[in-house]
Amino acid sequence: MKVHPIVYFLFKFVVRLVLLLIFIGLPAATYYQSIRGIGFGAKEALSKALSSPTLEVSMEQLSINPFMGLVAKGVQVRERGNASRVLTSINQVAVSLNLGELMLQRVIVNSLSLRMADASIPVSESPDGPRASIKDINAEIVLLGDSLRVSTFEAAVEGIRVRFTGEVQNPFAFQLPEPDKKQGSTAKKPLFEKILSHLSEISFSKGEPLIQGSFKIDAAHPESLEIPDLSVTCAQIAWRGISLSDLQIQGEYTDARLRVPVIKTSDSTGNLQASGEWEPSSGKARLSMRANLNPGPILRSLTDSNQDKNEVHFRSAPQFEAEATADFTQAHAGLRVIGDFLAPSVAYKGVELREVGCGFAWADQRLHVRDISFQAKRGVFSGNLWIAPHDYRLQAHTTIPPTDLSPLVDGPTREFLDKMEIADLPEITLSLRAPKMDFAAIKGTGHLKLGRTAMRGAWIDSGSANLEIGDSCVNYKDIVIITGPGKGTGAFAYDVGRQEVRLENIRSTLIPYEVLMWIDPKIAKTISPYRFRSNPNVAVQGKVHMRLATKNNLSIQVESPAGMDYDLLGKTLSFGKTSAKVLVIGNKVEARVTRAPIMGGEVTLNADVSIDPKAPFLTADVKLERVNFSKLTKLYFDYDDSKGVVSGKYNFKTKMGQEEQMTGKGSIRIEDGNVFAIPTLGPFSSIIGAILPGVAYNTARLATADFSVANKKVTTKNIEIVGSGFSMFGDGDIYFLTGQLDMDMRLNAQGVPGILFFPVSKLLEYHSNGTFSDPGWLPKIIPSIPAFGGTKKSDDRTP
């Protein structure tokens, strides 16, 4: 059959045109509409079809993709009437339309498909608030009348893989919840915003966790939500140093109740198992938990502690069990918790505690911790604790030495405990109560029993006291302290509020220095020179201020039948039966020794000692009555041939620790003694014998002098020595630290010889630059006097 040329030409033209449209026009048109989108109001019609009475959908562009079909790009879902609040942003959605309805010029969406799409949703009501990122969305959503079926939905939400299937009834009846009325800084942070903030701190080193399940809900009735199967799995999760492995959660949300029968996870030391349920309509919830995880990282995350020395260290994982219920319709969520805790070993600030255990219960804002017990390096603790609004109670019994726990405290308490030594375990029982956590509000009673214990090196063998605590004060009543043969009784108050220590009716046969070392070492130091040869009888009454010495007011009465020893100028004076009174007034200690036997005589001492570290002075007034002169010179000058008795008085002032700088004045009288037996005056015996033949050297039995002390020397201007038929007068200096002398003496005869020798009395003046034991007296005018006591020189002339 022959074809007409015109027909053949037209056929070729049509074929070429079709091929041109297919290979050039169609791609060009497809490219054009992908860039510019489909016009003619198509995207507006589709946006309207996807919108609901409460939600408004908009899109930037609607185009046809050869592989995906009709694609909407830049889709946003806004709250109707509030265009600034974008509820969802999706980069692209494939839309399948009902072609039959489209022929009737109605836009009905059959399904929505998302392939590797990205979206974001707000987590707060603020338009500029944070948004949750949803990536790699793969979903198939089919619209069947009033039903929306999610065949598949999988996405990564802030690093968590989510996989769900389900069905939504009446999707267009969905109503947004009412916005939070609170505004500004007073509004609480929304829950999802808090979750998003914490998610940014969590890492998943072994892959994304997976949340999967299925759901069913009627959008007109959100409370109809059901999730019959829900599971969460994660191989590894880390947050703020907490690392957990093999997290598994299985549960369901049906009949308006969330049930989670399985919660499991583990760490390097143990595992956690829990279960729970929650009924939102009634607000009631329940949780059961059992765990032996390592709590160290958990505590660090809660306290943000980076100081290793202050951390709580668990040598092995503790056991923790708890049952909790809550009613969120009640105040404070109606939380009730009961459980037990046991830790084999806990260390904090270098203090290790073993077998730390307790039972606990929380209800109505009241915490009861029962059967608290733990062991320290020495001793054990047991007790009960009650904490409620305006009601705090503690009952405790312990044999742990407080010094073993000193690293747990700081400041003055630590300083106080560091000065103690406890050899035997104490027993301390306390029952305390307070309306608030303030020492000033605490009231209670207790009992203290001590064994071998020391404070600042002063030891006691045992001690006991009843305790009364109140008004910022600890009262120690019915005190009994025993040390060797000594015993102390009375009452003692440690008043933190007034910053003072009060002593009431203290009766003691203890050594006063050791008692005062427990109270105030500065006061103890002032009486340290007084050493009792046996335990004295002591009565104490008054107070000592902890900070202001000017408020001190303490009286100490001492009776020592066996006497005491006292250090003066580097020598020890031994007193017989001694009666003394010590007053601590302000920053001054006044010591009054009324009468004390010493070396056959008596001494009276009044001393004032300053405990002010800026002015540590000692002022004393000493009186001697007929003290054995031989014993006194033996003690201070190692010479015991001096006989007789000495009396005198001495008032001096010196700086503590610098006694060589003392200043003072006094007088001395030596009676019935062998004055010339004193090494310093001994040479005058032969001089007097030469001048006054027949006068014995040992007849000088009275010597007197007034003196002053300053610049490390004793100065006198009126030494007078009276003997039988002669007198001696002198003046000069004695350097008491070295024994050097710088002294003049003059001899005067009494009666007729005195008148006879008066014109030449200047020739009988002597001077010494020697020492107390070797004075080396020399005449001041002539080197020798042969006419007195010497041999007369012969005359060479012949008659």
Side-chain angles (χ1 to χ4, degrees):
M1 177 180 172
K2 189 176 180 180
V3 180
H4 194 278
I6 296 176
V7 175
Y8 179 73
F9 175 78
L10 290 174
F11 177 76
K12 288 174 62 178
F13 177 78
V14 172
V15 171
R16 290 174 179 175
L17 181 61
V18 171
L19 293 174
L20 181 64
L21 289 174
I22 292 174
F23 292 102
I24 298 177
L26 185 60
T30 301
Y31 176 75
Y32 177 81
Q33 62 83 31
S34 68
I35 299 298
R36 301 297 299 273
I38 300 175
F40 312 107
K43 68 176 182 179
E44 288 79 8
L46 181 60
S47 297
K48 183 177 180 181
L50 293 173
S51 298
S52 72
T54 58
L55 302 176
E56 183 178 358
V57 179
S58 64
M59 58 191 71
E60 296 179 359
Q61 179 181 317
L62 182 64
S63 60
I64 298 175
N65 187 295
F67 304 101
M68 298 177 61
L70 191 63
V71 177
K73 296 182 179 180
V75 179
Q76 291 187 336
V77 181
R78 290 180 170 85
E79 181 182 355
R80 189 174 292 278
N82 187 5
S84 63
R85 189 183 182 199
V86 180
L87 300 179
T88 306
S89 294
I90 306 174
N91 61 343
Q92 63 178 15
V93 180
V95 183
S96 175
L97 302 178
N98 189 320
L99 296 179
E101 295 293 333
L102 187 61
M103 296 296 292
L104 299 175
Q105 298 184 352
R106 291 197 295 266
V107 179
I108 302 297
V109 178
N110 279 345
S111 66
L112 302 173
S113 298
L114 291 87
R115 295 289 183 269
M116 300 303 292
D118 295 331
S120 66
I121 58 175
V123 293
S124 68
E125 297 179 2
S126 172
D128 301 324
R131 303 179 69 84
S133 174
I134 306 175
K135 297 182 178 296
D136 303 332
I137 304 173
N138 290 291
E140 293 291 340
I141 303 172
V142 180
L143 281 76
L144 299 173
D146 291 335
S147 175
L148 184 152
R149 180 173 297 170
V150 180
S151 300
T152 60
F153 179 90
E154 184 174 347
V157 181
E158 294 293 334
I160 300 174
R161 179 63 55 181
V162 178
R163 187 181 297 158
F164 272 96
T165 63
E167 183 177 354
V168 180
Q169 298 290 335
N170 301 312
F172 294 103
F174 176 71
Q175 297 287 333
L176 289 172
E178 291 293 328
D180 193 345
K181 300 296 184 181
K182 297 179 180 180
Q183 299 293 332
S185 60
T186 60
K188 291 184 178 179
K189 204 172 190 179
L191 175 62
F192 288 109
E193 188 173 351
K194 294 180 181 178
I195 295 175
L196 183 64
S197 174
H198 288 302
L199 280 175
S200 64
E201 303 175 0
I202 299 176
S203 62
F204 309 100
S205 60
K206 294 185 178 181
E208 297 174 331
L210 174 61
I211 301 176
Q212 60 181 349
S214 61
F215 68 90
K216 184 177 181 180
I217 187 174
D218 185 345
H221 303 283
E223 67 277 3
S224 67
L225 174 66
E226 288 193 356
I227 306 175
D229 60 322
L230 174 68
S231 67
V232 180
T233 58
C234 182
Q236 189 80 30
I237 180 172
W239 176 71
R240 293 188 179 180
I242 303 172
S243 181
L244 300 175
S245 303
D246 302 323
L247 174 64
Q248 297 181 35
I249 301 175
Q250 295 179 5
E252 63 176 38
Y253 184 80
T254 57
D255 301 326
R257 175 176 292 187
L258 175 65
R259 300 177 181 87
V260 186
V262 177
I263 302 175
K264 293 182 179 180
T265 188
S266 62
D267 65 2
S268 59
T269 61
N271 54 65
L272 177 146
Q273 296 180 353
S275 63
E277 61 178 54
W278 173 44
E279 187 176 27
S281 60
S282 64
K284 294 182 179 180
R286 177 192 61 81
L287 176 67
S288 298
M289 178 186 299
R290 182 176 184 178
N292 61 341
L293 301 176
N294 179 10
I298 299 174
L299 293 175
R300 286 194 295 271
S301 69
L302 296 176
T303 60
D304 294 327
S305 175
N306 293 320
Q307 299 181 358
D308 184 71
K309 66 179 182 178
N310 291 332
E311 288 183 3
V312 178
H313 297 277
F314 293 85
R315 308 301 187 192
S316 57
Q319 300 287 337
F320 177 83
E321 293 184 14
E323 293 278 345
T325 61
D327 187 346
F328 295 101
T329 62
Q330 298 181 10
H332 307 288
L335 183 63
R336 293 175 178 268
V337 184
I338 186 170
D340 296 284
F341 176 85
L342 176 62
S345 179
V346 181
Y348 180 61
K349 290 187 175 181
V351 177
E352 184 171 357
L353 305 177
R354 302 182 306 277
E355 301 300 325
V356 180
C358 68
F360 58 88
W362 169 273
D364 302 325
Q365 288 190 287
R366 291 170 171 81
L367 174 64
H368 181 208
V369 186
R370 55 179 172 77
D371 300 329
I372 305 170
S373 64
F374 56 83
Q375 301 175 15
K377 184 178 181 180
R378 298 185 295 166
V380 297
F381 175 93
S382 62
N384 295 287
L385 176 66
W386 172 268
I387 299 177
H390 311 297
D391 188 7
Y392 298 83
R393 305 179 201 175
L394 173 66
Q395 292 181 337
H397 176 79
T398 182
T399 58
I400 300 175
T403 52
D404 292 3
L405 305 178
S406 64
L408 301 180
V409 296
D410 298 310
T413 304
R414 174 67 180 270
E415 294 176 4
F416 177 81
L417 292 176
D418 286 345
K419 296 170 184 175
M420 292 187 70
E421 298 175 73
I422 300 179
D424 300 331
L425 297 185
E427 286 191 29
I428 305 172
T429 302
L430 290 173
S431 179
L432 306 177
R433 188 167 185 172
K436 58 182 179 179
M437 292 296 290
D438 187 348
F439 182 71
I442 295 176
K443 295 184 180 299
T445 59
H447 182 75
L448 172 66
K449 183 178 180 181
L450 298 176
R452 186 99 171 118
T453 307
M455 168 62 74
R456 302 182 184 92
W459 286 91
I460 65 171
D461 293 333
S462 65
S464 64
N466 293 319
L467 307 181
E468 290 186 5
I469 302 171
D471 300 324
S472 300
C473 180
V474 181
N475 291 281
Y476 298 82
K477 295 189 174 183
D478 304 320
I479 296 175
V480 177
I481 298 175
I482 297 175
T483 298
K487 180 179 179 180
T489 61
F492 170 83
Y494 189 86
D495 196 326
V496 178
R498 296 182 179 180
Q499 290 288 290
E500 64 185 24
V501 176
R502 294 188 295 274
L503 298 99
E504 300 178 5
N505 299 321
I506 300 294
R507 297 292 181 269
S508 169
T509 56
L510 304 173
I511 302 299
Y513 173 80
E514 295 179 354
V515 175
L516 288 173
M517 284 299 290
W518 283 71
I519 302 172
D520 191 329
K522 291 185 292 185
I523 298 176
K525 185 178 180 181
T526 63
I527 67 168
S528 60
Y530 303 91
R531 300 186 302 280
F532 297 91
R533 289 191 286 276
S534 65
N535 293 41
N537 297 313
V538 181
V540 183
Q541 186 82 19
K543 67 178 182 179
V544 176
H545 201 271
M546 300 178 193
R547 296 187 180 275
L548 300 177
T550 54
K551 295 186 178 182
N552 291 339
N553 188 359
L554 186 68
S555 172
I556 306 172
Q557 182 69 44
V558 181
E559 298 289 339
S560 178
M564 68 175 185
D565 295 331
Y566 174 70
D567 292 337
L568 180 64
L569 297 177
K571 302 295 181 179
T572 299
L573 298 174
S574 296
F575 295 88
K577 180 180 179 180
T578 303
S579 176
K581 186 174 185 179
V582 179
L583 300 176
V584 183
I585 307 296
N587 56 11
K588 185 173 66 173
V589 178
E590 300 176 3
R592 304 289 183 259
V593 180
T594 52
R595 297 185 73 83
I598 182 173
M599 299 180 183
E602 290 185 342
V603 64
T604 301
L605 171 66
N606 293 326
D608 294 340
V609 183
S610 171
I611 58 176
D612 185 353
K614 297 180 180 179
F617 286 101
L618 164 66
T619 301
D621 189 359
V622 184
K623 293 182 180 180
L624 300 177
E625 292 186 14
R626 301 188 66 79
V627 173
N628 188 301
F629 190 50
S630 175
K631 293 181 179 180
L632 187 63
T633 55
K634 174 63 177 178
L635 176 66
Y636 278 97
F637 306 109
D638 195 26
Y639 193 83
D640 58 0
D641 286 344
S642 301
K643 308 300 180 183
V645 295
V646 61
S647 300
K649 59 183 180 179
Y650 179 37
N651 180 274
F652 67 91
K653 181 178 182 181
T654 185
K655 192 172 184 179
M656 298 291 288
Q658 300 180 16
E659 286 76 7
E660 70 278 4
Q661 301 292 341
M662 72 167 63
T663 60
K665 61 182 179 178
S667 62
I668 188 170
R669 179 183 180 90
I670 302 172
E671 303 176 77
D672 304 328
N674 182 359
V675 177
F676 289 148
I678 302 173
T680 306
L681 301 178
F684 284 99
S685 176
S686 59
I687 295 174
I688 294 174
I691 298 174
L692 301 173
V695 178
Y697 77 93
N698 58 358
T699 57
R701 300 187 178 277
L702 175 63
T704 62
D706 296 325
F707 61 89
S708 62
V709 177
N711 301 319
K712 303 181 183 180
K713 63 182 179 180
V714 179
T715 300
T716 179
K717 296 183 179 180
N718 60 352
I719 297 177
E720 183 177 355
I721 301 172
V722 178
S724 178
F726 70 93
S727 296
M728 296 176 62
F729 301 94
D731 62 80
D733 300 325
I734 302 174
Y735 293 85
F736 54 83
L737 292 180
T738 62
Q740 291 293 122
L741 299 177
D742 183 10
M743 185 170 290
D744 295 329
M745 293 295 292
R746 177 168 55 88
L747 297 176
N748 273 7
Q750 296 177 355
V752 175
I755 298 173
L756 178 64
F757 285 102
F758 180 76
V760 293
S761 61
K762 288 293 183 179
L763 299 179
L764 301 180
E765 292 185 4
Y766 291 81
H767 179 76
S768 172
N769 281 320
T771 63
F772 193 83
S773 59
D774 185 17
W777 291 101
L778 294 174
K780 294 180 66 175
I781 304 301
I782 56 178
S784 62
I785 310 178
F788 297 95
T791 302
K792 184 177 180 180
K793 188 176 180 179
S794 61
D795 192 355
D796 293 333
R797 291 178 301 171
T798 58

